[in-house]
Amino acid sequence: MAEKATGVLCSERYSTRRAWRYVQLEGGELVRRAEQAERVSRSVAVWFTSVFLPQGYPDSVSDDYLTYQIWDTVQAFASSITGTLATQAILKGVGVGDNTATVAGASITWILKDGTGMVGRILFAWMKGSRLDCDAKKWRLFADVLNDLAIFMEIVAPVFPSIFTLVICVAGVFKSVVGVAGGATRAALTVHQARRDNMADVSAKDGSQETLVNLAGLLFSLLLTPLVTDNLLLTYLLYALFTSLHLYANYRAVSSVVMETLNQARFKLMVNDYLLTGSVPPPISINPRESLLPAFQRRLSVRLGASLDCILHSSLEYQKATKNNSKSYLLGLYRNTGVLCISLRDGVSSVDVIEACFHAEILQQLLHQDVSTFRLERDTFTKLQEKVLSARDDRLWDAVAETHLLVDRLFPRLLSEARSVGWVVERNQLAPDEWRAQWPLEGKKRQ
């Protein structure tokens, strides 16, 4: 006869998926009981979750994790299929199945393909490596578009045997760029998704998911390969179908990511809304509006972290640049060329960098926007804009000095509201250059 329970002493849970109660029986024995009977389907789901999702899911990852991973899985499957079509075309191009082809010729083609890819990888990392963190979503989408272009080149290469090696080498360069951009942005997104300092776990489980998807793609390819052999029309149709799916899934994946750090695009949207409405929008409002495609050149080009040589050419200009300015940056504007240079003080903080970019956005609005619709400091903006537009001085030193006072009034509120709605300001992705300066040097020994 089963003993009767006399009360629940304590309970525990494993993440948010399972929970138990510790029940005391009449004889004093302590029994552990699940709050809900575990069905077979539930136990399978728990096993699947533990194998392919980070420990502690969903509490250990960002809110956008599942949506992103679903679409990332779809794009990985589509890319696996188009990759199979490309591999088949390359093998045919290097002579597999052709009695006249030589091993040496095929080997040279493959070596040239890999060699040019290695060079391309090094050059791209040198030229764009520092920008990948700042626009991770944009570069992630760029990498996948370039990957599809490279696969297309590999598929059509056998049609042009006279330039086959050249086409394959160019495709190899493109794929090497994809490897750098894709790998770097995946790491940046992993940093965003990992909420318990569990980057390694999130990255490892992402690798497990990708391996499972590639395995499914491999099995599908085994059925597909006999159908597309020597059938160019079907090959092109399948490429078009799966490439369309790949691009759509990638766009949906990166669009679902909600980054809480500020880059130039998100910061510009945030400041514009702040001036128009009087309040700072949260990350979930700004991220869907962030452009994922290449943008046209801004009417005011901002050089953040520029050398003092870009700003100051005389002691008089130094006095003008520091007028009303007790901040950790100096700002110089060239209206005719549309260039705004910002020199940062040595030891500048993330908040100081954000303030400098806020000042740049204020000047951008004064030069090129209708400030009459602003809710904040509308009269001040209107007077300053009239002064800016009527000034004959290309450098606009007096107007810039007055904007320091405007920034002093507006930025503290923006910073406070940004923190309260979920923006991370202790670090940023505004990508300043490495120049740092010290001023003033009065009282220090001069050489």
Side-chain angles (χ1 to χ4, degrees), residues 168-252:
I168 289 301
C169 287
V170 173
V173 172
F174 287 175
K175 283 199 168 184
S176 69
V177 171
V178 171
V180 175
T185 54
R186 183 182 293 274
L189 292 174
T190 300
V191 172
H192 159 70
Q193 292 172 338
R195 293 305 165 92
R196 290 183 179 173
D197 294 326
N198 57 337
M199 277 186 55
D201 186 28
V202 173
S203 179
K205 296 301 170 58
D206 183 69
S208 296
Q209 295 168 25
E210 186 170 358
T211 301
L212 180 64
V213 172
N214 289 336
L215 179 59
L218 180 63
L219 296 176
F220 187 80
S221 298
L222 289 175
L223 301 176
L224 193 65
T225 300
L227 300 177
V228 299
T229 301
D230 299 324
N231 191 334
L232 287 178
L233 180 59
L234 182 58
T235 299
Y236 296 151
L237 287 176
L238 288 173
Y239 170 80
L241 173 64
F242 283 102
T243 297
S244 299
L245 177 62
H246 179 241
L247 293 176
Y248 176 73
N250 266 294
Y251 181 81
R252 291 296 302 271

Coordinates of all heavy atoms in Angstrom, one line a residue, residues 168-252:
I168 N 36.9 29.7 -62.4 CA 37.0 29.0 -61.2 C 37.9 29.8 -60.1 O 37.6 29.8 -58.9 CB 37.6 27.6 -61.4 CG1 36.6 26.7 -62.2 CG2 38.0 26.9 -60.1 CD1 35.3 26.5 -61.4
C169 N 38.9 30.4 -60.6 CA 39.8 31.1 -59.7 C 39.1 32.4 -59.1 O 39.2 32.7 -57.9 CB 41.1 31.6 -60.4 SG 42.2 30.2 -60.7
V170 N 38.3 33.1 -60.0 CA 37.5 34.2 -59.5 C 36.5 33.8 -58.5 O 36.3 34.4 -57.5 CB 36.9 35.0 -60.7 CG1 35.9 36.0 -60.2 CG2 37.9 35.6 -61.6
A171 N 35.8 32.6 -58.8 CA 34.8 32.1 -57.9 C 35.5 31.7 -56.6 O 34.9 31.9 -55.5 CB 34.2 30.9 -58.5
G172 N 36.7 31.2 -56.6 CA 37.5 30.9 -55.4 C 37.8 32.1 -54.6 O 37.7 32.0 -53.3
V173 N 38.1 33.2 -55.2 CA 38.4 34.4 -54.5 C 37.1 34.9 -53.8 O 37.1 35.3 -52.6 CB 38.9 35.6 -55.4 CG1 38.9 36.9 -54.7 CG2 40.2 35.2 -56.0
F174 N 36.0 34.8 -54.5 CA 34.7 35.2 -53.9 C 34.3 34.3 -52.7 O 33.9 34.8 -51.7 CB 33.6 35.1 -54.9 CG 33.6 36.1 -56.0 CD1 32.7 36.1 -57.1 CD2 34.5 37.2 -55.9 CE1 32.7 37.1 -58.0 CE2 34.5 38.2 -56.9 CZ 33.6 38.2 -57.9
K175 N 34.6 33.0 -52.8 CA 34.3 32.1 -51.7 C 35.2 32.4 -50.5 O 34.8 32.1 -49.4 CB 34.4 30.7 -52.2 CG 33.2 30.2 -53.0 CD 33.0 28.7 -53.0 CE 31.7 28.3 -53.6 NZ 31.5 26.8 -53.5
S176 N 36.4 32.8 -50.8 CA 37.3 33.1 -49.7 C 36.8 34.3 -48.9 O 36.9 34.4 -47.7 CB 38.7 33.3 -50.2 OG 38.8 34.5 -51.0
V177 N 36.3 35.3 -49.7 CA 35.7 36.5 -49.0 C 34.5 36.1 -48.2 O 34.3 36.6 -47.1 CB 35.3 37.5 -50.1 CG1 34.5 38.7 -49.5 CG2 36.6 38.1 -50.8
V178 N 33.7 35.2 -48.8 CA 32.6 34.6 -48.0 C 33.0 34.0 -46.7 O 32.4 34.2 -45.7 CB 31.8 33.6 -48.9 CG1 30.7 32.9 -48.1 CG2 31.2 34.3 -50.1
G179 N 34.1 33.2 -46.8 CA 34.6 32.5 -45.6 C 35.0 33.5 -44.5 O 34.6 33.3 -43.3
V180 N 35.7 34.6 -44.9 CA 36.1 35.6 -43.9 C 34.9 36.4 -43.4 O 34.7 36.5 -42.1 CB 37.1 36.6 -44.5 CG1 37.4 37.7 -43.5 CG2 38.3 35.9 -44.9
A181 N 34.0 36.9 -44.3 CA 32.9 37.7 -43.8 C 31.9 36.9 -43.1 O 31.3 37.3 -42.0 CB 32.2 38.4 -45.1
G182 N 31.6 35.7 -43.6 CA 30.6 34.8 -42.9 C 31.1 34.3 -41.6 O 30.3 34.4 -40.6
G183 N 32.3 33.9 -41.5 CA 32.8 33.5 -40.2 C 32.9 34.6 -39.1 O 32.6 34.4 -38.0
A184 N 33.4 35.8 -39.6 CA 33.5 36.9 -38.6 C 32.2 37.4 -38.1 O 32.0 37.6 -37.0 CB 34.3 38.0 -39.3
T185 N 31.2 37.5 -39.1 CA 29.9 38.0 -38.6 C 29.2 36.9 -37.8 O 28.4 37.3 -36.9 CB 29.1 38.3 -39.9 OG1 29.0 37.2 -40.8 CG2 29.6 39.5 -40.6
R186 N 29.4 35.6 -38.1 CA 28.8 34.6 -37.2 C 29.3 34.7 -35.8 O 28.6 34.6 -34.9 CB 29.1 33.2 -37.8 CG 28.5 32.1 -37.0 CD 28.9 30.7 -37.6 NE 28.3 30.6 -39.0 CZ 27.1 30.1 -39.2 NH1 26.3 29.7 -38.2 NH2 26.7 29.9 -40.4
A187 N 30.6 35.0 -35.7 CA 31.2 35.2 -34.4 C 30.6 36.4 -33.7 O 30.3 36.4 -32.5 CB 32.7 35.4 -34.4
A188 N 30.3 37.5 -34.4 CA 29.7 38.7 -33.9 C 28.3 38.4 -33.4 O 27.9 38.9 -32.3 CB 29.7 39.9 -34.9
L189 N 27.6 37.7 -34.2 CA 26.2 37.3 -33.8 C 26.2 36.4 -32.6 O 25.3 36.4 -31.8 CB 25.5 36.7 -35.0 CG 25.2 37.6 -36.2 CD1 24.6 36.9 -37.3 CD2 24.3 38.8 -35.8
T190 N 27.2 35.5 -32.5 CA 27.3 34.6 -31.3 C 27.5 35.4 -30.1 O 26.9 35.1 -29.0 CB 28.4 33.6 -31.5 OG1 28.2 32.9 -32.7 CG2 28.5 32.7 -30.3
V191 N 28.3 36.5 -30.1 CA 28.5 37.4 -29.0 C 27.2 38.0 -28.6 O 26.9 38.1 -27.4 CB 29.6 38.5 -29.3 CG1 29.6 39.5 -28.2 CG2 30.9 37.8 -29.6
H192 N 26.4 38.4 -29.5 CA 25.1 39.0 -29.2 C 24.1 38.0 -28.6 O 23.4 38.3 -27.7 CB 24.5 39.5 -30.5 CG 23.0 39.7 -30.5 ND1 22.4 40.7 -29.7 CD2 22.0 39.1 -31.1 CE1 21.1 40.6 -29.8 NE2 20.8 39.6 -30.7
Q193 N 24.2 36.7 -29.1 CA 23.2 35.7 -28.7 C 23.5 35.1 -27.3 O 22.6 34.7 -26.5 CB 23.1 34.6 -29.7 CG 22.4 35.1 -31.0 CD 22.5 34.1 -32.1 OE1 23.3 33.2 -32.1 NE2 21.6 34.2 -33.1
A194 N 24.8 35.1 -27.0 CA 25.2 34.4 -25.7 C 25.0 35.4 -24.6 O 25.6 36.4 -24.5 CB 26.7 34.0 -25.8
R195 N 24.1 35.0 -23.6 CA 23.7 35.9 -22.5 C 24.3 35.4 -21.2 O 24.0 36.1 -20.2 CB 22.2 36.0 -22.5 CG 21.6 36.7 -23.7 CD 22.3 38.1 -23.9 NE 22.1 38.7 -25.2 CZ 21.1 39.6 -25.4 NH1 20.2 39.8 -24.5 NH2 21.0 40.1 -26.6
R196 N 25.0 34.4 -21.2 CA 25.6 33.9 -19.9 C 27.1 33.6 -20.0 O 27.6 32.7 -19.5 CB 24.9 32.6 -19.4 CG 23.5 32.8 -19.0 CD 22.9 31.5 -18.5 NE 21.5 31.6 -18.0 CZ 20.8 30.6 -17.6 NH1 21.3 29.4 -17.7 NH2 19.5 30.8 -17.2
D197 N 27.8 34.4 -20.8 CA 29.2 34.2 -21.1 C 29.4 32.8 -21.7 O 30.4 32.1 -21.3 CB 30.0 34.4 -19.9 CG 30.0 35.9 -19.4 OD1 30.0 36.8 -20.3 OD2 30.1 36.1 -18.2
N198 N 28.4 32.3 -22.5 CA 28.4 31.0 -23.0 C 28.7 31.0 -24.5 O 28.0 30.2 -25.2 CB 27.2 30.2 -22.6 CG 25.9 31.0 -23.1 OD1 25.9 32.2 -23.4 ND2 24.8 30.2 -23.3
M199 N 29.6 31.8 -25.0 CA 29.9 31.9 -26.4 C 30.3 30.5 -27.0 O 29.9 30.1 -28.1 CB 31.0 32.9 -26.7 CG 30.5 34.3 -26.7 SD 31.9 35.4 -27.2 CE 32.4 34.6 -28.8
A200 N 31.1 29.8 -26.3 CA 31.6 28.5 -26.8 C 30.5 27.5 -26.9 O 30.4 26.8 -28.0 CB 32.7 28.0 -25.8
D201 N 29.6 27.5 -26.0 CA 28.4 26.6 -26.1 C 27.5 27.0 -27.2 O 27.1 26.1 -28.0 CB 27.7 26.6 -24.7 CG 26.5 25.5 -24.7 OD1 26.7 24.5 -25.4 OD2 25.5 25.8 -24.0
V202 N 27.2 28.3 -27.3 CA 26.3 28.7 -28.4 C 27.0 28.4 -29.8 O 26.3 27.9 -30.7 CB 26.0 30.2 -28.3 CG1 25.3 30.7 -29.5 CG2 25.2 30.5 -27.0
S203 N 28.3 28.7 -29.9 CA 29.0 28.4 -31.1 C 29.0 26.9 -31.5 O 28.8 26.5 -32.6 CB 30.4 29.0 -31.1 OG 31.1 28.7 -32.3
A204 N 29.3 26.1 -30.4 CA 29.3 24.6 -30.6 C 28.0 24.1 -31.1 O 27.9 23.2 -32.0 CB 29.8 23.9 -29.3
K205 N 26.9 24.5 -30.4 CA 25.6 24.0 -30.8 C 25.2 24.5 -32.2 O 24.5 23.8 -32.9 CB 24.6 24.5 -29.7 CG 24.8 23.8 -28.4 CD 24.8 22.3 -28.4 CE 25.3 21.7 -27.1 NZ 24.5 22.1 -25.9
D206 N 25.6 25.7 -32.5 CA 25.4 26.2 -33.9 C 26.1 25.3 -34.9 O 25.5 25.0 -36.0 CB 25.9 27.7 -34.0 CG 25.6 28.3 -35.4 OD1 24.4 28.5 -35.7 OD2 26.5 28.5 -36.2
G207 N 27.3 24.9 -34.6 CA 28.0 23.9 -35.4 C 27.3 22.6 -35.6 O 27.2 22.0 -36.6
S208 N 26.7 22.1 -34.4 CA 25.9 20.9 -34.5 C 24.7 21.0 -35.4 O 24.4 20.1 -36.1 CB 25.5 20.5 -33.1 OG 26.6 20.2 -32.3
Q209 N 24.0 22.2 -35.3 CA 22.8 22.4 -36.1 C 23.2 22.4 -37.6 O 22.6 21.8 -38.4 CB 22.2 23.7 -35.7 CG 21.6 23.8 -34.3 CD 21.3 25.2 -33.9 OE1 21.0 26.0 -34.7 NE2 21.3 25.4 -32.6
E210 N 24.3 23.1 -37.9 CA 24.8 23.2 -39.3 C 25.2 21.8 -39.8 O 24.9 21.5 -41.0 CB 25.9 24.2 -39.4 CG 26.3 24.4 -40.8 CD 27.3 25.6 -40.9 OE1 27.6 26.2 -39.9 OE2 27.8 25.9 -42.1
T211 N 25.8 21.0 -39.0 CA 26.2 19.7 -39.4 C 25.0 18.8 -39.7 O 25.0 18.1 -40.7 CB 27.1 19.0 -38.3 OG1 28.2 19.8 -38.0 CG2 27.5 17.6 -38.7
L212 N 24.0 18.9 -38.8 CA 22.8 18.1 -39.1 C 22.1 18.6 -40.4 O 21.6 17.7 -41.2 CB 21.8 18.4 -37.9 CG 20.4 17.6 -38.0 CD1 20.7 16.1 -38.0 CD2 19.5 18.1 -36.9
V213 N 22.1 19.9 -40.6 CA 21.4 20.4 -41.9 C 22.2 19.9 -43.1 O 21.7 19.5 -44.1 CB 21.3 21.9 -41.8 CG1 20.9 22.4 -43.2 CG2 20.4 22.3 -40.7
N214 N 23.6 20.0 -43.0 CA 24.4 19.5 -44.1 C 24.2 18.0 -44.4 O 24.3 17.6 -45.5 CB 25.9 19.9 -43.8 CG 26.2 21.3 -43.9 OD1 25.4 22.1 -44.6 ND2 27.2 21.8 -43.2
L215 N 24.0 17.3 -43.3 CA 23.8 15.8 -43.4 C 22.5 15.6 -44.2 O 22.4 14.8 -45.1 CB 23.7 15.2 -42.1 CG 23.5 13.6 -42.1 CD1 24.6 12.9 -42.9 CD2 23.4 13.1 -40.6
A216 N 21.4 16.4 -43.8 CA 20.2 16.3 -44.6 C 20.3 16.7 -46.0 O 19.8 16.0 -46.9 CB 19.1 17.1 -43.9
G217 N 21.1 17.7 -46.2 CA 21.4 18.2 -47.6 C 22.2 17.1 -48.4 O 21.9 16.9 -49.6
L218 N 23.1 16.4 -47.7 CA 23.8 15.4 -48.4 C 22.9 14.2 -48.8 O 23.1 13.7 -49.9 CB 24.9 14.9 -47.4 CG 25.8 13.8 -47.9 CD1 26.6 14.2 -49.1 CD2 26.7 13.3 -46.8
L219 N 22.0 13.8 -47.9 CA 21.1 12.8 -48.3 C 20.2 13.2 -49.5 O 19.9 12.4 -50.4 CB 20.3 12.4 -47.1 CG 21.0 11.8 -45.9 CD1 20.1 11.6 -44.7 CD2 21.7 10.5 -46.3
F220 N 19.7 14.4 -49.4 CA 18.9 14.9 -50.5 C 19.7 15.0 -51.8 O 19.2 14.7 -52.9 CB 18.4 16.3 -50.2 CG 17.4 16.8 -51.2 CD1 16.1 16.4 -51.1 CD2 17.8 17.7 -52.1 CE1 15.1 16.9 -52.0 CE2 16.9 18.2 -53.0 CZ 15.5 17.8 -53.0
S221 N 21.0 15.3 -51.7 CA 21.8 15.4 -52.9 C 22.1 14.1 -53.6 O 22.2 14.0 -54.8 CB 23.2 16.1 -52.6 OG 23.0 17.4 -52.1
L222 N 22.1 13.0 -52.7 CA 22.3 11.7 -53.3 C 21.1 11.3 -54.2 O 21.3 10.6 -55.2 CB 22.4 10.6 -52.1 CG 23.7 10.7 -51.3 CD1 23.6 9.7 -50.1 CD2 24.9 10.3 -52.1
L223 N 19.9 11.8 -53.9 CA 18.8 11.5 -54.8 C 18.8 12.5 -55.9 O 18.3 12.1 -57.0 CB 17.5 11.7 -53.9 CG 17.3 10.8 -52.7 CD1 16.0 11.2 -52.0 CD2 17.3 9.3 -53.1
L224 N 19.4 13.6 -55.8 CA 19.3 14.7 -56.8 C 20.3 14.5 -57.9 O 20.1 14.8 -59.1 CB 19.5 16.1 -56.1 CG 19.1 17.3 -56.9 CD1 17.6 17.3 -57.2 CD2 19.5 18.5 -56.1
T225 N 21.5 14.0 -57.5 CA 22.6 14.0 -58.4 C 22.4 13.2 -59.7 O 22.7 13.7 -60.8 CB 23.9 13.4 -57.7 OG1 24.2 14.3 -56.6 CG2 25.1 13.4 -58.7
P226 N 21.8 12.0 -59.6 CA 21.5 11.3 -60.9 C 20.6 12.0 -61.8 O 20.6 11.8 -63.0 CB 20.9 10.0 -60.4 CG 21.3 9.8 -59.0 CD 21.4 11.2 -58.4
L227 N 19.7 12.9 -61.2 CA 18.7 13.6 -62.1 C 19.3 14.7 -62.8 O 18.9 15.0 -64.0 CB 17.6 14.1 -61.2 CG 16.8 13.0 -60.4 CD1 15.7 13.7 -59.5 CD2 16.1 12.1 -61.4
V228 N 20.3 15.4 -62.2 CA 20.9 16.6 -62.9 C 22.1 16.3 -63.7 O 22.6 17.2 -64.4 CB 21.3 17.6 -61.8 CG1 20.0 18.0 -61.0 CG2 22.4 17.1 -60.8
T229 N 22.6 15.1 -63.6 CA 23.8 14.7 -64.4 C 23.5 14.9 -65.9 O 22.5 14.3 -66.4 CB 24.3 13.3 -64.1 OG1 24.6 13.2 -62.7 CG2 25.5 12.9 -65.0
D230 N 24.3 15.7 -66.6 CA 24.1 15.9 -68.1 C 22.8 16.6 -68.4 O 22.3 16.5 -69.5 CB 24.3 14.6 -68.9 CG 25.6 14.0 -68.7 OD1 26.6 14.8 -68.6 OD2 25.7 12.8 -68.7
N231 N 22.2 17.3 -67.4 CA 20.9 18.0 -67.6 C 21.1 19.4 -67.2 O 20.8 19.7 -66.0 CB 19.8 17.3 -66.9 CG 18.4 17.8 -67.3 OD1 18.3 18.9 -67.8 ND2 17.4 16.9 -67.1
L232 N 21.6 20.3 -68.1 CA 21.9 21.6 -67.7 C 20.6 22.4 -67.3 O 20.7 23.2 -66.4 CB 22.6 22.3 -68.9 CG 24.1 21.9 -69.1 CD1 24.7 22.7 -70.3 CD2 24.9 22.2 -67.8
L233 N 19.5 22.2 -68.1 CA 18.3 22.9 -67.8 C 17.8 22.7 -66.4 O 17.5 23.6 -65.6 CB 17.2 22.6 -68.8 CG 15.9 23.3 -68.6 CD1 16.0 24.8 -68.7 CD2 14.9 22.8 -69.6
L234 N 17.8 21.4 -66.0 CA 17.3 21.1 -64.6 C 18.3 21.6 -63.6 O 17.9 22.1 -62.5 CB 17.2 19.6 -64.5 CG 16.7 19.1 -63.1 CD1 15.4 19.7 -62.8 CD2 16.7 17.5 -63.1
T235 N 19.6 21.6 -63.9 CA 20.6 22.2 -63.0 C 20.4 23.7 -62.7 O 20.4 24.1 -61.6 CB 22.0 22.0 -63.5 OG1 22.3 20.6 -63.7 CG2 23.1 22.6 -62.6
Y236 N 20.1 24.4 -63.8 CA 19.9 25.9 -63.7 C 18.6 26.1 -63.0 O 18.5 27.1 -62.2 CB 19.9 26.5 -65.1 CG 21.2 26.4 -65.8 CD1 21.3 26.4 -67.2 CD2 22.4 26.4 -65.1 CE1 22.5 26.3 -67.8 CE2 23.6 26.3 -65.7 CZ 23.7 26.3 -67.1 OH 24.9 26.2 -67.7
L237 N 17.6 25.3 -63.2 CA 16.3 25.5 -62.6 C 16.4 25.3 -61.1 O 15.9 26.1 -60.2 CB 15.2 24.6 -63.2 CG 14.7 25.0 -64.6 CD1 13.7 23.9 -65.1 CD2 14.0 26.4 -64.6
L238 N 17.1 24.2 -60.7 CA 17.3 23.9 -59.3 C 18.1 25.0 -58.6 O 17.9 25.4 -57.5 CB 17.9 22.5 -59.1 CG 17.0 21.4 -59.4 CD1 17.8 20.1 -59.4 CD2 15.8 21.3 -58.4
Y239 N 19.1 25.5 -59.3 CA 20.0 26.5 -58.8 C 19.1 27.8 -58.5 O 19.2 28.4 -57.4 CB 21.1 26.9 -59.7 CG 21.8 28.1 -59.3 CD1 22.8 28.1 -58.3 CD2 21.5 29.4 -59.9 CE1 23.4 29.3 -57.9 CE2 22.2 30.5 -59.5 CZ 23.1 30.5 -58.5 OH 23.8 31.6 -58.1
A240 N 18.3 28.2 -59.5 CA 17.4 29.3 -59.3 C 16.5 29.2 -58.1 O 16.3 30.1 -57.3 CB 16.7 29.6 -60.6
L241 N 15.9 28.0 -58.0 CA 14.9 27.7 -56.9 C 15.6 27.8 -55.6 O 15.1 28.5 -54.7 CB 14.3 26.3 -57.1 CG 13.4 25.8 -56.0 CD1 12.2 26.8 -55.9 CD2 12.9 24.4 -56.3
F242 N 16.7 27.1 -55.4 CA 17.3 27.0 -54.1 C 18.1 28.3 -53.7 O 18.2 28.6 -52.6 CB 18.2 25.8 -54.0 CG 17.5 24.5 -53.8 CD1 17.3 23.6 -54.8 CD2 16.9 24.2 -52.5 CE1 16.6 22.4 -54.6 CE2 16.3 23.0 -52.3 CZ 16.1 22.1 -53.4
T243 N 18.6 29.0 -54.7 CA 19.2 30.3 -54.5 C 18.2 31.3 -54.0 O 18.4 32.1 -53.1 CB 19.9 30.8 -55.7 OG1 21.0 29.9 -56.1 CG2 20.5 32.2 -55.5
S244 N 17.0 31.3 -54.6 CA 15.9 32.2 -54.2 C 15.6 31.9 -52.7 O 15.4 32.8 -51.9 CB 14.7 32.1 -55.1 OG 15.0 32.4 -56.4
L245 N 15.4 30.6 -52.4 CA 15.1 30.2 -51.0 C 16.3 30.7 -50.1 O 16.0 31.1 -49.0 CB 14.9 28.7 -51.0 CG 14.6 28.1 -49.6 CD1 13.4 28.7 -49.0 CD2 14.5 26.6 -49.6
H246 N 17.5 30.5 -50.5 CA 18.7 30.8 -49.7 C 18.7 32.3 -49.4 O 18.9 32.7 -48.2 CB 19.9 30.4 -50.5 CG 21.2 30.7 -49.8 ND1 22.1 31.5 -50.3 CD2 21.7 30.3 -48.6 CE1 23.2 31.6 -49.5 NE2 22.9 30.9 -48.4
L247 N 18.5 33.1 -50.4 CA 18.5 34.6 -50.2 C 17.4 35.1 -49.3 O 17.6 35.9 -48.4 CB 18.5 35.3 -51.5 CG 19.7 35.1 -52.4 CD1 19.6 35.8 -53.8 CD2 21.0 35.6 -51.7
Y248 N 16.2 34.5 -49.5 CA 15.0 34.9 -48.7 C 15.3 34.5 -47.3 O 15.0 35.3 -46.4 CB 13.8 34.3 -49.3 CG 12.6 34.6 -48.4 CD1 12.0 35.8 -48.5 CD2 12.0 33.6 -47.6 CE1 10.8 36.1 -47.7 CE2 10.9 33.9 -46.8 CZ 10.3 35.1 -46.9 OH 9.2 35.4 -46.1
A249 N 15.7 33.3 -47.0 CA 15.9 32.8 -45.7 C 17.0 33.6 -45.0 O 16.9 34.0 -43.8 CB 16.3 31.3 -45.7
N250 N 18.1 34.0 -45.7 CA 19.1 34.8 -45.1 C 18.6 36.2 -44.8 O 19.0 36.7 -43.7 CB 20.3 35.0 -46.1 CG 21.4 33.9 -45.9 OD1 22.0 33.9 -44.9 ND2 21.5 33.0 -46.8
Y251 N 17.8 36.8 -45.6 CA 17.3 38.1 -45.3 C 16.4 38.1 -44.1 O 16.5 38.9 -43.2 CB 16.5 38.6 -46.5 CG 15.9 40.0 -46.3 CD1 16.7 41.2 -46.4 CD2 14.6 40.2 -45.9 CE1 16.2 42.4 -46.2 CE2 14.1 41.5 -45.6 CZ 14.9 42.6 -45.8 OH 14.4 43.8 -45.5
R252 N 15.5 37.0 -44.0 CA 14.7 36.9 -42.8 C 15.5 36.6 -41.5 O 15.2 37.1 -40.5 CB 13.7 35.7 -43.0 CG 12.6 36.0 -44.1 CD 11.7 37.2 -43.7 NE 11.1 36.9 -42.4 CZ 9.9 36.3 -42.3 NH1 9.2 35.9 -43.4 NH2 9.3 36.1 -41.1

